[in-house]
Amino acid sequence: MKNFKRYISLSIALSVVFSTLVAQDWEVPLTEKSVVSPIAFGPSTQQHGKDLFNTNCKSCHGTPGTESFLPLNPPPGDPASEKFSKQTDGELFYKITNGKGGMPQFKNMLSEQDRWDVISYIRTFHKDYKPANIEVASEAVQSFSGTDLSITLQTNADSAEVIAQVKGMKDGQLINASGVRVSFLVKRNFGFLPIGDPATTNEQGLAQMKYPTDLPGDSIGQYQIRVKLVDDDVYGQVTVDQTVQWGQAFIYDNPLNYRALWGNRANVPLWLLFSYFGIVGGVWITILWVVLQMLKLKKLK
Amino acid sequence: MAQTLPKEEAKARFSKIVSDLTKPLSQFGQSFQVWGFVLFTIITLFGYAYFLQLRDGLGVTGMHDYAAWGMYIANFVFFVAAALVGMLITAVLGLIGIKWITPVSRIAEMVAVAFAMMAGLVIVFDMGRPDRLLNVFLYGRLQSPIVWDLTVVMTYTVISLLLLILPMIPDIAIIKKNLPNAPKWQRITWNLLSFGWTGTPEQYKSIHRLVRVLAVLIVPVALAIHTVTSWLFASTLRHGWDSTIFGPYFVTGAFVSGVAAVIIAMYIFRVNYKLENYITDFHFDKIAKLLVLTSLVYFYFNINEFLVPAYKMKQGDDHHILSLFVGEWAGWFWFAQVFGNILPIILLLFKKMRKPTPMFYLAILTVLGAWAKRYIIVVPTQLHPHLPVQNVPEAFHVYYPTGPEIAITIGTIGMAITIITILAKLFPVVSIWETAKEDGVDMDTINE
């Protein structure tokens, strides 16, 4: 008994030490350490990296700079911390690509460019970071500096395409807003999910997206689409919803509509209903009969 | 049955029985007052703790997201279990014509009624919002074992109460006649419950028939009450609960704890009510053998319940079983198994142990073991959920009952004992007319 407890505590202690060692000891091959991004980091890679980070990394690593990562063992760590900033681009890339233990492998989930974009986003939190790639970002993302943006939609039923026309006020005039990032979404059970990556409006203020036609829609194949501006911190919430009939007709067969054990109160299975009331009724009728007979005892002279 | 006694002898014998068995009903001496004060204190403490729980909610207990069932539900299962003894003795043994139960069956029914009533109340005490109890009936789903459980608990309580009162009606008429100076509360109850009894052969025939009907009816209801209680656990997919034999496992365990509880009550009444000539060593010897039998059956179910999963050691089950056998619950587990099951089997094989005093102490240990067993059925499983316990306060990793929770639990046990105490002051704990009849007193003398 005592020995058993000793073994248990020893093995727990060992596993704690071991897991800490593992966490400390994530060796990246030297050749991988010096790998650098093939394209320079810039606002567009950072923006894309931010979107990717929020969908793929945030659930464990939290919001960078707030130490809000999950308390796992080994701890995932805050990407804004020194633990990350002192690593080379190549080390981060290797770890995102291959994963280890609790850290998933993103080799097949994110393209190489996507992974570099995530690193470029993380690097925005590292003050002392100097890009290994000396080539300064050449492409500056165009950005519309007007106000009061609005979206109008044009849909093409044949090709299942949506064209979003974004306009905004600039210098007192309503003009086409170019360089504005627009995301295209579709309503599913628990909210809106994006279709592809956000698109950026061209000079005419147009951005377009082809929607899939194999999505399950309602009973006649309708589904709701939503187009919105990505940078709502700059432009405010600008959203347009529309219903299109591009999906597959889908009739939801709610299991709660049947008489079943998992059903609601009204849908109790008949066998259960009859068994319950049959048994309970039979027993209570007998009880009442006994009580009546007891009350009649007086008359049995 | 003995030979019918001559008239004069029968009269003397009958008046001796009546005076022996009714004397305790009018004695409220010093020791009874101390006893009453102890019970009053326990219930007062309960009242304060329950006030705290009503005011502040279930947060005053140690229960949390993981251990949502704690000491209260363990206590509930214990009450339901011990209540089954009424059915075992009155119905099963009575219907097959076992004679020695005559002085025991009323005590068993009193224990059953008190424990069944408290089982129902403990469910209410386990609710943070007892005012919503009615919602179970208004909105409950028939698919839920909880609805079935409430139904059978109420039904069993009513049948047990009837099975207590029905065979007692002739006795109530007798004591009404023999104790004309009893306090008003006793006389009112007796008047109400004697149902105009005069002792005609038709009346005897009628209660014989009614008792027989109820005795048959209570067998399936009693099996249902504890089987459904076990289904509250077994119908969920949790390690340690996910078992097909939970119904019979609970029922057989119930007989062990119930018989032990009746032994305790028998001993206390024998000593305090000076009933050595009625609850004799012979009866203790018999009920000791009954405890051995029920313990052996329960032992068999324990082997099935633990050996089969332990042989396979399915993932999850392994953790549960190891924690019970050698881990953090080992103390509780072995206490429950040794005192609640193994020890009664071994010790009661010896004739010297089948005497009132050693049996009394052994029965106390058995009841404690039985209570501990319910606790380790309810609690450990919940602390080993299928998903790892993480991102929760440290306190959620363990379950320790709090002061108010323990006070409420002890209070419910105090209330059960109070009910038995009141019943034993209202009615003779041993049947007068059945004892007289077995001693050879003719019916005319009994009905005079």
Side-chain angles (χ1 to χ4, degrees), chain B residues 246-403:
Chain B
F246 243 40
Y249 175 56
F250 269 45
V251 170
T252 51
F255 290 154
V256 174
S257 53
V259 172
V262 167
I263 292 175
I264 297 175
M266 278 167 69
Y267 181 82
I268 292 175
F269 287 131
R270 176 183 147 108
V271 171
N272 282 302
Y273 282 14
K274 304 197 172 45
L275 299 177
E276 286 84 354
N277 293 328
Y278 299 89
I279 308 172
T280 62
D281 283 12
F282 166 76
H283 297 110
F284 274 91
D285 182 75
K286 287 289 182 193
I287 202 164
K289 287 172 181 165
L290 182 65
L291 183 56
V292 174
L293 174 68
T294 53
S295 298
L296 278 172
V297 179
Y298 188 41
F299 185 68
Y300 168 70
F301 274 99
N302 266 290
I303 291 175
N304 278 276
E305 179 58 23
F306 291 108
L307 185 83
V308 175
Y311 193 88
K312 294 178 284 190
M313 280 293 185
K314 267 193 294 193
Q315 195 182 22
D317 281 2
D318 55 351
H319 186 73
H320 179 73
I321 289 168
L322 285 177
S323 78
L324 288 180
F325 276 68
V326 287
E328 71 258 42
W329 295 99
W332 281 84
F333 179 78
W334 291 112
F335 175 82
Q337 297 294 48
V338 170
F339 291 103
N341 194 351
I342 297 168
L343 218 52
I345 299 176
I346 297 172
L347 291 182
L348 294 179
L349 288 179
F350 299 99
K351 196 156 190 186
K352 271 188 188 152
M353 284 302 293
R354 296 201 297 270
K355 299 283 173 216
T357 312
M359 278 174 67
F360 171 65
Y361 292 108
L362 179 66
I364 290 178
L365 286 175
T366 307
V367 166
L368 287 177
W371 197 94
K373 185 67 180 284
R374 307 304 181 271
Y375 191 84
I376 54 167
I377 286 173
V378 173
V379 177
T381 289
Q382 294 175 82
L383 297 175
H384 317 141
H386 288 290
L387 292 173
V389 181
Q390 57 183 20
N391 302 325
V392 292
E394 267 307 303
F396 282 20
H397 291 261
V398 288
Y399 165 74
Y400 296 117
T402 59

Side-chain angles (χ1 to χ4, degrees), chain B residues 24-47:
Chain B
L25 301 190
S26 48
Q27 285 173 338
F28 298 93
Q30 204 177 3
S31 58
F32 182 78
Q33 283 167 16
V34 172
W35 176 242
F37 180 74
V38 170
L39 290 177
F40 177 77
T41 313
I42 289 175
I43 293 173
T44 310
L45 281 175
F46 159 87

